[in-house]
Amino acid sequence: MVEKLRQARDADAFREYDRKGDKSIRGARREALRDRESRAVAHARSLVASCAHGACEPGRAETTPVGEEVEMVSFQEWAARSGHAVECQVLRRDPSTDVWRLLVSLGIGS
């Protein structure tokens, strides 16, 4: 996977990624990713549709903030906010499918 990243078009900033343990995202790497946040969110959301479970749909995702009502829903219902089916086991998912929620909650991308 890292080799694919190094070979990608416009990936000069990542040629040395993970060499000598350097996985930082600063300087040239940060600039290479700038203004691509919305595209990253869209890509992560689309990964929900390719979930092996088969009943997961990104269009079902919820992005509204929650408050105390989170205590009134089951873990499965809470985890399904990303668009996965309630029955989709969290530990069997590609973890990248939930990255978009983090980006959106931080106000990065939409």
XYZ file of all heavy atoms in Angstrom:
856
model
N 0.825 -1.186 0.000
C 0.000 0.000 0.000
C 0.877 1.260 0.000
O 0.578 2.197 -0.706
C -0.920 -0.029 1.215
C -1.847 1.156 1.246
S -3.013 1.192 -0.102
C -4.478 0.762 0.741
N 1.930 1.268 0.802
C 2.806 2.440 0.865
C 3.489 2.651 -0.477
O 3.630 3.783 -0.925
C 3.839 2.301 2.006
C 4.842 3.430 1.973
C 3.133 2.269 3.357
N 3.869 1.567 -1.137
C 4.496 1.703 -2.455
C 3.529 2.326 -3.455
O 3.926 3.131 -4.283
C 4.992 0.347 -2.966
C 6.259 -0.118 -2.287
C 7.387 0.914 -2.351
O 7.619 1.507 -3.418
O 8.026 1.138 -1.314
N 2.247 1.971 -3.349
C 1.238 2.564 -4.222
C 1.153 4.066 -3.984
O 1.051 4.853 -4.912
C -0.122 1.927 -3.931
C -0.766 1.294 -5.093
C -2.089 0.700 -4.684
C -2.853 0.334 -5.911
N -4.109 -0.298 -5.632
N 1.209 4.463 -2.728
C 1.168 5.883 -2.372
C 2.368 6.607 -2.970
O 2.224 7.680 -3.546
C 1.159 6.054 -0.850
C 1.214 7.478 -0.312
C -0.017 8.265 -0.728
C 1.315 7.450 1.208
N 3.531 5.999 -2.859
C 4.746 6.628 -3.387
C 4.708 6.782 -4.908
O 5.305 7.698 -5.451
C 5.967 5.799 -3.002
C 6.294 5.869 -1.547
C 7.603 5.163 -1.261
N 7.853 5.193 0.168
C 8.084 4.125 0.906
N 8.140 2.932 0.361
N 8.308 4.248 2.202
N 3.999 5.909 -5.599
C 3.958 5.935 -7.057
C 2.815 6.773 -7.614
O 2.753 7.006 -8.813
C 3.845 4.510 -7.590
C 5.070 3.677 -7.297
C 4.852 2.205 -7.584
O 3.841 1.829 -8.165
N 5.799 1.386 -7.179
N 1.927 7.226 -6.755
C 0.767 7.980 -7.217
C 1.182 9.301 -7.856
O 2.195 9.906 -7.492
C -0.185 8.250 -6.058
N 0.362 9.730 -8.817
C 0.599 11.012 -9.469
C 0.523 12.112 -8.423
O -0.298 12.076 -7.522
C -0.467 11.209 -10.546
C -0.291 12.447 -11.377
C -1.305 12.470 -12.526
N -2.677 12.211 -12.152
C -3.535 13.177 -11.779
N -3.143 14.422 -11.738
N -4.766 12.876 -11.470
N 1.354 13.087 -8.503
C 1.407 14.216 -7.568
C 1.769 13.792 -6.147
O 1.373 14.446 -5.188
C 0.070 14.975 -7.529
C -0.311 15.540 -8.882
O 0.612 15.884 -9.655
O -1.515 15.631 -9.165
N 2.502 12.698 -6.011
C 2.832 12.208 -4.676
C 4.310 12.397 -4.319
O 4.840 11.689 -3.479
C 2.452 10.734 -4.555
N 4.966 13.341 -4.949
C 6.389 13.554 -4.665
C 6.666 13.761 -3.190
O 7.685 13.311 -2.669
C 6.916 14.759 -5.455
C 6.982 14.476 -6.943
O 7.048 13.287 -7.320
O 6.954 15.438 -7.723
N 5.757 14.423 -2.491
C 5.948 14.697 -1.066
C 5.948 13.416 -0.234
O 6.426 13.409 0.898
C 4.862 15.641 -0.559
N 5.449 12.319 -0.795
C 5.351 11.065 -0.048
C 6.393 10.029 -0.471
O 6.322 8.884 -0.059
C 3.939 10.488 -0.189
C 2.914 11.303 0.533
C 2.274 12.351 -0.104
C 2.622 11.053 1.855
C 1.347 13.120 0.557
C 1.696 11.821 2.538
C 1.050 12.863 1.889
N 7.368 10.434 -1.272
C 8.395 9.486 -1.742
C 9.135 8.833 -0.584
O 9.517 7.677 -0.661
C 9.401 10.181 -2.664
C 8.788 10.674 -3.942
C 8.658 9.555 -4.962
N 8.054 10.119 -6.169
C 6.918 9.684 -6.677
N 6.281 8.697 -6.127
N 6.412 10.241 -7.748
N 9.337 9.550 0.486
C 10.070 9.022 1.642
C 9.146 8.628 2.791
O 9.606 8.351 3.892
C 11.083 10.067 2.132
C 12.130 10.447 1.091
C 12.988 9.254 0.696
O 13.414 8.500 1.588
O 13.221 9.073 -0.525
N 7.842 8.596 2.552
C 6.871 8.267 3.598
C 7.186 6.904 4.206
O 7.411 5.935 3.505
C 5.453 8.266 3.019
C 4.382 7.989 4.046
C 3.934 8.991 4.887
C 3.843 6.719 4.183
C 2.949 8.744 5.833
C 2.862 6.464 5.125
C 2.428 7.477 5.948
O 1.470 7.226 6.892
N 7.229 6.842 5.502
C 7.451 5.630 6.299
C 8.878 5.094 6.201
O 9.171 4.028 6.705
C 6.442 4.535 5.940
C 6.357 3.474 7.024
O 6.676 3.777 8.186
O 5.996 2.325 6.714
N 9.740 5.794 5.556
C 11.146 5.397 5.597
C 11.723 5.994 6.861
O 11.445 7.140 7.216
C 11.885 5.898 4.359
C 11.341 5.212 3.117
C 12.343 5.163 2.002
N 11.790 4.347 0.926
C 11.657 4.745 -0.321
N 12.042 5.951 -0.666
N 11.150 3.946 -1.229
N 12.462 5.218 7.579
C 13.024 5.636 8.870
C 11.906 5.986 9.853
O 12.067 6.829 10.726
C 13.983 6.821 8.702
C 15.176 6.511 7.820
C 16.082 7.703 7.711
C 17.223 7.398 6.770
N 18.085 8.535 6.546
N 10.753 5.348 9.691
C 9.642 5.532 10.620
C 8.928 6.869 10.523
O 8.136 7.210 11.394
N 9.208 7.641 9.481
C 8.584 8.966 9.352
C 7.234 8.869 8.658
O 7.151 8.698 7.452
C 9.501 9.910 8.577
C 8.920 11.311 8.453
O 7.936 11.620 9.157
O 9.462 12.091 7.652
N 6.181 8.986 9.457
C 4.822 8.983 8.922
C 4.157 10.340 9.160
O 2.948 10.444 9.106
C 3.990 7.886 9.583
C 4.446 6.491 9.236
C 3.541 5.467 9.856
C 3.965 4.070 9.467
N 3.061 3.058 10.040
N 4.958 11.343 9.410
C 4.405 12.663 9.718
C 3.711 13.266 8.500
O 4.012 12.933 7.357
C 5.519 13.606 10.182
O 6.424 13.845 9.118
N 2.777 14.142 8.799
C 2.061 14.876 7.741
C 2.285 16.358 8.028
O 1.446 17.045 8.595
C 0.550 14.551 7.751
C 0.305 13.064 7.611
C -0.175 15.313 6.652
C 0.734 12.479 6.273
N 3.440 16.837 7.667
C 3.742 18.264 7.828
C 4.573 18.713 6.636
O 5.008 17.903 5.834
C 4.450 18.540 9.151
C 5.541 17.611 9.467
C 6.196 17.915 10.807
N 7.246 16.935 10.929
C 7.492 16.226 11.986
N 6.830 16.429 13.081
N 8.439 15.333 11.989
N 4.730 19.984 6.534
C 5.509 20.547 5.441
C 4.928 20.218 4.082
O 3.759 20.458 3.813
N 5.752 19.636 3.215
C 5.341 19.332 1.840
C 4.186 18.330 1.796
O 3.315 18.417 0.933
C 6.527 18.788 1.050
N 4.160 17.396 2.740
C 3.065 16.420 2.765
C 1.743 17.103 3.088
O 0.716 16.802 2.491
C 3.353 15.322 3.780
C 4.502 14.441 3.370
C 4.766 13.379 4.381
N 6.018 12.692 4.063
C 6.679 11.939 4.904
N 6.216 11.745 6.123
N 7.795 11.368 4.551
N 1.763 18.007 4.049
C 0.539 18.741 4.404
C 0.052 19.541 3.204
O -1.128 19.544 2.878
C 0.779 19.665 5.583
C -0.475 20.428 5.970
C -0.319 21.358 7.143
N 0.810 21.084 7.988
C 1.658 22.011 8.436
N 1.483 23.270 8.128
N 2.667 21.696 9.206
N 0.968 20.198 2.524
C 0.589 21.008 1.357
C 0.033 20.139 0.230
O -0.878 20.550 -0.476
C 1.784 21.825 0.870
C 2.191 22.930 1.828
C 1.031 23.838 2.219
O 0.294 24.298 1.326
O 0.848 24.068 3.433
N 0.577 18.936 0.063
C 0.093 18.036 -0.985
C -1.347 17.591 -0.720
O -2.093 17.301 -1.658
C 1.003 16.815 -1.083
N -1.748 17.563 0.541
C -3.103 17.127 0.899
C -4.088 18.284 1.031
O -5.295 18.063 1.038
C -3.059 16.350 2.225
C -2.246 15.058 2.188
C -2.121 14.481 3.595
C -2.866 14.051 1.242
N -3.574 19.491 1.113
C -4.434 20.664 1.314
C -5.502 20.758 0.217
O -5.255 20.488 -0.939
C -3.593 21.938 1.329
C -4.386 23.177 1.718
C -3.526 24.400 1.855
N -2.409 24.282 2.760
C -2.485 24.358 4.091
N -3.644 24.526 4.668
N -1.404 24.254 4.834
N -6.694 21.127 0.626
C -7.852 21.307 -0.264
C -8.353 20.003 -0.884
O -9.099 20.029 -1.855
C -7.560 22.333 -1.367
C -7.250 23.708 -0.785
O -7.851 24.063 0.248
O -6.399 24.405 -1.356
N -7.954 18.883 -0.341
C -8.453 17.595 -0.824
C -9.326 16.912 0.234
O -9.676 15.752 0.102
C -7.292 16.677 -1.190
C -6.487 17.196 -2.361
C -5.411 16.245 -2.740
N -4.702 16.728 -3.904
C -3.887 15.987 -4.614
N -3.682 14.742 -4.301
N -3.267 16.496 -5.652
N -9.677 17.659 1.267
C -10.426 17.084 2.379
C -11.789 16.574 1.952
O -12.196 15.475 2.325
C -10.580 18.106 3.512
C -9.273 18.550 4.117
C -8.658 19.769 3.441
O -9.121 20.175 2.353
O -7.700 20.329 3.997
N -12.518 17.360 1.180
C -13.861 16.951 0.760
C -13.801 15.695 -0.096
O -14.664 14.824 0.005
C -14.555 18.074 -0.003
O -14.822 19.140 0.875
N -12.771 15.593 -0.904
C -12.602 14.396 -1.733
C -12.314 13.181 -0.854
O -12.816 12.081 -1.112
C -11.478 14.616 -2.735
C -11.573 13.694 -3.915
C -10.712 14.189 -5.035
N -9.636 13.231 -5.206
C -8.489 13.484 -5.765
N -8.230 14.682 -6.217
N -7.583 12.564 -5.892
N -11.535 13.372 0.199
C -11.239 12.283 1.128
C -12.508 11.821 1.842
O -12.729 10.622 2.018
C -10.187 12.728 2.147
N -13.343 12.766 2.236
C -14.607 12.431 2.894
C -15.491 11.637 1.934
O -16.056 10.602 2.298
C -15.331 13.703 3.398
C -16.758 13.394 3.809
C -14.562 14.334 4.550
N -15.609 12.098 0.699
C -16.442 11.404 -0.294
C -15.928 9.990 -0.544
O -16.709 9.039 -0.647
C -16.481 12.203 -1.596
N -14.615 9.842 -0.622
C -14.032 8.514 -0.859
C -14.312 7.593 0.324
O -14.725 6.443 0.146
C -12.530 8.629 -1.115
C -11.875 7.312 -1.313
N -12.105 6.528 -2.427
C -11.018 6.618 -0.530
C -11.408 5.413 -2.319
N -10.746 5.442 -1.183
N -14.110 8.090 1.553
C -14.353 7.262 2.736
C -15.819 6.861 2.828
O -16.138 5.726 3.166
C -13.914 8.003 3.995
N -16.713 7.792 2.494
C -18.147 7.455 2.501
C -18.459 6.373 1.470
O -19.254 5.474 1.711
C -18.987 8.686 2.190
C -19.203 9.559 3.368
C -20.121 10.700 3.009
N -20.402 11.497 4.189
C -21.005 12.665 4.167
N -21.404 13.187 3.032
N -21.217 13.320 5.279
N -17.828 6.468 0.309
C -18.104 5.478 -0.736
C -17.638 4.084 -0.333
O -18.183 3.086 -0.802
C -17.468 5.889 -2.062
O -16.063 5.747 -2.012
N -16.659 4.002 0.552
C -16.185 2.699 1.018
C -17.265 1.958 1.793
O -17.277 0.728 1.832
C -14.945 2.860 1.904
C -13.674 3.280 1.199
C -12.570 3.543 2.223
C -13.231 2.234 0.197
N -18.193 2.691 2.406
C -19.297 2.061 3.136
C -20.104 1.184 2.176
O -20.521 0.087 2.523
C -20.196 3.118 3.817
C -21.411 2.470 4.447
C -19.409 3.900 4.863
N -20.304 1.652 0.958
C -21.092 0.904 -0.028
C -20.417 -0.397 -0.427
O -21.094 -1.339 -0.859
C -21.335 1.765 -1.269
N -19.106 -0.498 -0.276
C -18.402 -1.724 -0.660
C -18.147 -2.638 0.535
O -17.372 -3.577 0.438
C -17.088 -1.378 -1.363
O -16.227 -0.684 -0.482
N -18.826 -2.386 1.634
C -18.663 -3.209 2.836
C -19.076 -4.647 2.535
O -20.083 -4.892 1.862
C -19.518 -2.640 3.968
S -19.362 -3.578 5.514
N -18.322 -5.590 3.035
C -18.584 -7.010 2.789
C -19.924 -7.466 3.355
O -20.479 -8.463 2.909
C -17.458 -7.848 3.384
N -20.459 -6.745 4.314
C -21.738 -7.133 4.909
C -22.847 -7.161 3.859
O -23.711 -8.021 3.875
C -22.110 -6.178 6.049
C -23.382 -6.517 6.738
N -24.593 -6.028 6.311
C -23.641 -7.316 7.793
C -25.544 -6.504 7.099
N -24.993 -7.287 8.004
N -22.827 -6.199 2.953
C -23.765 -6.183 1.846
C -24.996 -5.318 2.025
O -25.658 -4.976 1.064
N -25.330 -4.951 3.263
C -26.534 -4.139 3.480
C -26.189 -2.727 3.936
O -27.059 -1.992 4.393
C -27.430 -4.815 4.516
N -24.950 -2.341 3.809
C -24.512 -1.022 4.252
C -24.693 -0.009 3.125
O -24.419 -0.319 1.967
C -23.057 -1.084 4.690
S -22.784 -2.284 6.024
N -25.163 1.182 3.475
C -25.439 2.217 2.477
C -24.975 3.571 2.994
O -25.457 4.029 4.023
C -26.936 2.293 2.192
C -27.532 1.030 1.633
C -29.046 1.121 1.506
O -29.578 2.244 1.507
O -29.670 0.065 1.419
N -24.064 4.236 2.295
C -23.582 5.534 2.765
C -24.686 6.581 2.863
O -24.612 7.488 3.684
C -22.523 5.936 1.750
C -22.718 5.050 0.579
C -23.436 3.832 1.047
N -25.739 6.449 2.076
C -26.835 7.407 2.117
C -27.609 7.386 3.425
O -28.356 8.304 3.738
N -27.419 6.353 4.205
C -28.088 6.213 5.496
C -27.313 6.902 6.620
O -27.767 6.966 7.753
C -28.190 4.721 5.820
C -29.490 4.301 6.339
C -29.564 2.856 6.790
N -28.430 2.000 6.589
C -28.478 0.836 5.957
N -29.604 0.408 5.451
N -27.405 0.088 5.835
N -26.161 7.405 6.310
C -25.286 7.992 7.325
C -25.894 9.229 7.968
O -26.640 9.961 7.334
C -23.945 8.349 6.703
N -25.546 9.447 9.224
C -26.024 10.600 9.976
C -24.824 11.446 10.394
O -23.854 10.931 10.908
C -26.781 10.153 11.221
C -28.020 9.342 10.928
C -28.677 8.866 12.209
O -28.750 9.656 13.165
O -29.102 7.715 12.236
N -24.930 12.731 10.189
C -23.825 13.615 10.562
C -24.216 14.624 11.625
O -23.385 15.405 12.054
C -23.302 14.380 9.324
O -24.380 15.121 8.764
C -22.730 13.431 8.294
N -25.458 14.589 12.047
C -25.900 15.560 13.043
C -25.231 15.279 14.382
O -25.076 14.129 14.779
C -27.430 15.511 13.220
O -27.806 14.170 13.548
C -28.139 15.963 11.977
N -24.833 16.334 15.081
C -24.211 16.145 16.393
C -25.211 15.533 17.376
O -26.417 15.675 17.217
C -23.843 17.565 16.835
C -23.959 18.408 15.627
C -24.898 17.723 14.689
N -24.693 14.847 18.345
C -25.556 14.259 19.367
C -25.164 14.790 20.738
O -24.044 15.230 20.946
C -25.479 12.720 19.376
C -26.018 12.153 18.101
C -24.076 12.257 19.626
N -26.080 14.719 21.626
C -25.829 15.138 23.008
C -26.052 13.963 23.936
O -25.592 12.860 23.675
N -26.817 14.206 24.965
C -27.054 13.170 25.957
C -27.871 12.003 25.418
O -27.840 10.912 25.986
C -27.754 13.776 27.169
C -26.885 14.761 27.905
C -27.607 15.434 29.055
O -28.705 14.983 29.422
O -27.059 16.408 29.578
N -28.597 12.193 24.325
C -29.421 11.110 23.792
C -28.597 9.921 23.323
O -29.118 8.843 23.098
C -30.335 11.599 22.656
C -29.626 11.996 21.393
C -29.198 13.460 21.363
O -29.192 14.115 22.412
O -28.871 13.930 20.267
N -27.295 10.090 23.194
C -26.440 8.987 22.778
C -26.522 7.846 23.796
O -26.367 6.684 23.445
C -24.978 9.449 22.551
C -24.293 9.738 23.865
C -24.210 8.412 21.767
N -26.807 8.166 25.031
C -26.920 7.133 26.065
C -28.159 6.271 25.865
O -28.264 5.193 26.432
C -26.957 7.786 27.448
C -25.670 8.510 27.787
C -25.763 9.286 29.092
O -26.781 9.168 29.796
O -24.797 9.995 29.398
N -29.098 6.718 25.052
C -30.355 5.996 24.879
C -30.361 5.090 23.656
O -31.357 4.457 23.358
C -31.518 6.990 24.811
C -31.632 7.811 26.073
S -33.056 8.898 26.209
C -33.246 9.638 24.634
N -29.259 5.008 22.931
C -29.196 4.125 21.765
C -28.187 3.020 22.017
O -27.238 3.184 22.777
C -28.824 4.887 20.466
C -29.861 5.929 20.129
C -27.455 5.494 20.555
N -28.401 1.895 21.372
C -27.479 0.776 21.539
C -26.158 1.084 20.826
O -26.089 1.953 19.950
C -28.081 -0.501 20.954
O -28.129 -0.416 19.536
N -25.139 0.327 21.176
C -23.846 0.487 20.520
C -23.983 0.245 19.022
O -23.411 0.967 18.211
C -22.816 -0.478 21.121
C -21.531 -0.492 20.352
C -20.640 0.561 20.467
C -21.233 -1.525 19.485
C -19.455 0.574 19.737
C -20.057 -1.524 18.754
C -19.173 -0.475 18.886
N -24.771 -0.759 18.644
C -24.950 -1.087 17.236
C -25.613 0.073 16.487
O -25.217 0.406 15.375
C -25.790 -2.362 17.068
C -25.070 -3.622 17.488
C -25.112 -3.844 19.009
O -25.747 -3.120 19.756
N -24.398 -4.852 19.449
N -26.627 0.686 17.118
C -27.298 1.818 16.488
C -26.349 3.007 16.361
O -26.342 3.713 15.359
C -28.537 2.227 17.285
C -29.657 1.221 17.222
C -30.781 1.560 18.186
O -30.505 1.857 19.363
O -31.928 1.537 17.735
N -25.536 3.231 17.381
C -24.570 4.322 17.350
C -23.549 4.092 16.237
O -23.247 4.975 15.446
C -23.872 4.457 18.701
C -22.783 5.466 18.671
C -21.442 5.237 18.693
C -22.934 6.885 18.580
N -20.759 6.410 18.617
C -21.644 7.441 18.546
C -24.029 7.728 18.507
C -21.429 8.809 18.455
C -23.804 9.092 18.419
C -22.516 9.614 18.398
N -23.039 2.868 16.149
C -22.041 2.537 15.137
C -22.623 2.623 13.731
O -21.904 2.906 12.772
C -21.467 1.145 15.396
N -23.928 2.407 13.598
C -24.573 2.445 12.286
C -24.715 3.869 11.755
O -25.081 4.056 10.599
C -25.945 1.769 12.353
N -24.404 4.890 12.555
C -24.496 6.279 12.096
C -23.590 6.539 10.895
O -23.771 7.504 10.177
C -24.142 7.243 13.224
C -25.214 7.325 14.295
C -24.795 8.239 15.425
N -24.358 9.544 14.993
C -25.147 10.605 14.827
N -26.427 10.505 15.064
N -24.649 11.759 14.440
N -22.603 5.682 10.662
C -21.695 5.877 9.535
C -22.281 5.395 8.225
O -21.691 5.583 7.172
C -20.372 5.163 9.800
O -20.602 3.780 9.920
N -23.455 4.748 8.281
C -24.085 4.228 7.078
C -24.074 2.719 7.021
O -24.689 2.116 6.150
N -23.368 2.099 7.937
C -23.361 0.639 7.993
C -24.699 0.146 8.525
O -25.390 0.844 9.259
C -22.231 0.137 8.909
C -20.884 0.288 8.308
N -20.373 -0.607 7.392
C -19.939 1.233 8.460
C -19.171 -0.219 7.029
N -18.883 0.907 7.650
N -25.054 -1.073 8.171
C -26.273 -1.688 8.688
C -26.087 -1.942 10.178
O -24.959 -2.169 10.647
C -26.539 -3.007 7.961
N -27.168 -1.915 10.929
C -27.091 -2.149 12.377
C -26.462 -3.511 12.654
O -25.703 -3.668 13.615
C -28.500 -2.043 13.020
C -28.471 -2.430 14.479
C -29.049 -0.638 12.853
N -26.724 -4.496 11.796
C -26.199 -5.849 12.009
C -24.734 -5.998 11.577
O -24.127 -7.040 11.806
C -27.006 -6.882 11.211
C -28.502 -6.766 11.309
C -29.067 -5.701 10.362
O -28.574 -5.540 9.234
O -30.003 -5.010 10.778
N -24.163 -5.004 10.930
C -22.775 -5.069 10.446
C -21.830 -4.976 11.639
O -21.818 -3.990 12.362
C -22.498 -3.936 9.466
S -20.843 -3.986 8.767
N -21.034 -6.001 11.834
C -20.142 -6.050 12.982
C -18.992 -5.050 12.818
O -18.267 -5.080 11.834
C -19.595 -7.452 13.174
C -20.665 -8.460 13.519
C -20.087 -9.847 13.720
O -18.888 -10.031 13.856
N -20.961 -10.838 13.732
N -18.839 -4.207 13.808
C -17.846 -3.130 13.761
C -16.440 -3.671 13.532
O -15.682 -3.129 12.725
C -17.901 -2.288 15.054
C -16.792 -1.262 15.081
C -19.256 -1.618 15.192
N -16.072 -4.730 14.197
C -14.709 -5.245 14.087
C -14.421 -5.951 12.764
O -13.280 -6.265 12.459
C -14.399 -6.186 15.257
C -14.409 -5.501 16.623
C -14.143 -6.522 17.720
C -13.389 -4.369 16.682
N -15.441 -6.149 11.951
C -15.237 -6.763 10.633
C -15.238 -5.731 9.513
O -15.099 -6.061 8.353
C -16.295 -7.821 10.371
C -16.125 -8.983 11.316
C -17.008 -10.103 10.954
N -16.766 -11.192 11.887
C -16.853 -12.439 11.571
N -17.203 -12.784 10.368
N -16.623 -13.362 12.463
N -15.411 -4.473 9.854
C -15.450 -3.394 8.857
C -14.039 -2.926 8.511
O -13.127 -3.039 9.296
C -16.171 -2.172 9.414
C -17.582 -2.382 9.752
C -18.133 -1.093 10.331
N -19.457 -1.308 10.872
C -20.105 -0.432 11.586
N -19.559 0.745 11.852
N -21.300 -0.698 12.048
N -13.930 -2.351 7.338
C -12.706 -1.634 6.983
C -12.723 -0.362 7.826
O -13.662 0.429 7.732
C -12.739 -1.293 5.488
C -11.552 -0.480 5.027
O -10.849 0.117 5.875
O -11.337 -0.413 3.815
N -11.730 -0.141 8.682
C -11.754 1.040 9.547
C -11.772 2.358 8.778
O -12.229 3.375 9.288
C -10.490 0.919 10.400
C -9.672 -0.131 9.774
C -10.553 -0.959 8.900
N -11.339 2.340 7.540
C -11.343 3.562 6.735
C -12.754 4.059 6.456
O -12.950 5.229 6.159
C -10.629 3.327 5.409
O -9.299 2.932 5.635
N -13.747 3.170 6.560
C -15.110 3.575 6.249
C -15.672 4.548 7.269
O -16.668 5.213 7.002
C -16.065 2.367 6.140
O -16.097 1.679 7.389
C -15.635 1.422 5.036
N -15.061 4.643 8.430
C -15.545 5.567 9.452
C -14.707 6.840 9.549
O -15.022 7.735 10.312
C -15.597 4.888 10.817
C -16.695 3.844 10.903
O -17.747 4.042 10.254
O -16.513 2.837 11.598
N -13.640 6.929 8.778
C -12.771 8.106 8.827
C -13.523 9.377 8.468
O -13.301 10.435 9.045
C -11.541 7.919 7.907
C -10.779 9.207 7.740
C -10.641 6.844 8.467
N -14.450 9.300 7.544
C -15.184 10.499 7.118
C -15.911 11.137 8.287
O -16.014 12.352 8.370
C -16.126 10.188 5.969
C -17.342 9.401 6.338
C -17.486 8.046 6.279
C -18.578 9.914 6.821
N -18.737 7.691 6.700
C -19.436 8.822 7.043
C -19.047 11.194 7.088
C -20.725 8.955 7.513
C -20.346 11.335 7.566
C -21.161 10.226 7.770
N -16.400 10.320 9.211
C -17.115 10.882 10.367
C -16.183 11.734 11.209
O -16.561 12.792 11.710
C -17.722 9.766 11.209
C -18.911 9.128 10.533
C -19.443 7.953 11.278
N -19.845 8.301 12.639
C -20.100 7.391 13.576
N -19.989 6.116 13.301
N -20.460 7.754 14.773
N -14.955 11.270 11.374
C -13.969 12.046 12.135
C -13.682 13.363 11.424
O -13.700 14.432 12.045
C -12.681 11.242 12.301
C -11.506 11.993 12.919
C -11.831 12.403 14.354
C -10.262 11.143 12.867
N -13.454 13.297 10.124
C -13.148 14.515 9.363
C -14.293 15.519 9.448
O -14.073 16.709 9.698
C -12.853 14.172 7.907
C -11.584 13.346 7.657
C -11.520 12.901 6.213
C -10.357 14.124 8.050
N -15.511 15.047 9.264
C -16.676 15.935 9.314
C -16.852 16.514 10.711
O -17.122 17.704 10.876
C -17.950 15.210 8.836
C -19.201 16.025 9.128
C -17.847 14.916 7.338
N -16.690 15.686 11.744
C -16.875 16.189 13.112
C -15.822 17.233 13.475
O -16.072 18.108 14.311
C -16.853 15.038 14.121
O -15.570 14.471 14.214
N -14.657 17.161 12.854
C -13.602 18.153 13.094
C -13.756 19.390 12.213
O -12.963 20.316 12.299
C -12.218 17.527 12.860
C -11.802 16.437 13.843
C -10.515 15.786 13.376
C -11.654 17.013 15.243
N -14.773 19.356 11.340
C -14.985 20.483 10.448
C -14.049 20.481 9.254
O -13.843 21.491 8.600
N -13.486 19.323 8.970
C -12.562 19.163 7.833
C -13.326 18.447 6.746
O -13.692 17.286 6.891
C -11.320 18.337 8.231
C -10.614 18.975 9.416
C -10.396 18.153 7.049
C -9.551 18.111 10.018
N -13.585 19.070 5.647
C -14.353 18.450 4.578
C -15.834 18.525 4.897
O -16.267 19.115 5.877
N -16.643 17.927 4.050
C -18.096 17.961 4.278
C -18.747 16.707 3.758
O -18.201 15.948 3.067
C -18.682 19.172 3.605
O -18.348 19.210 2.239
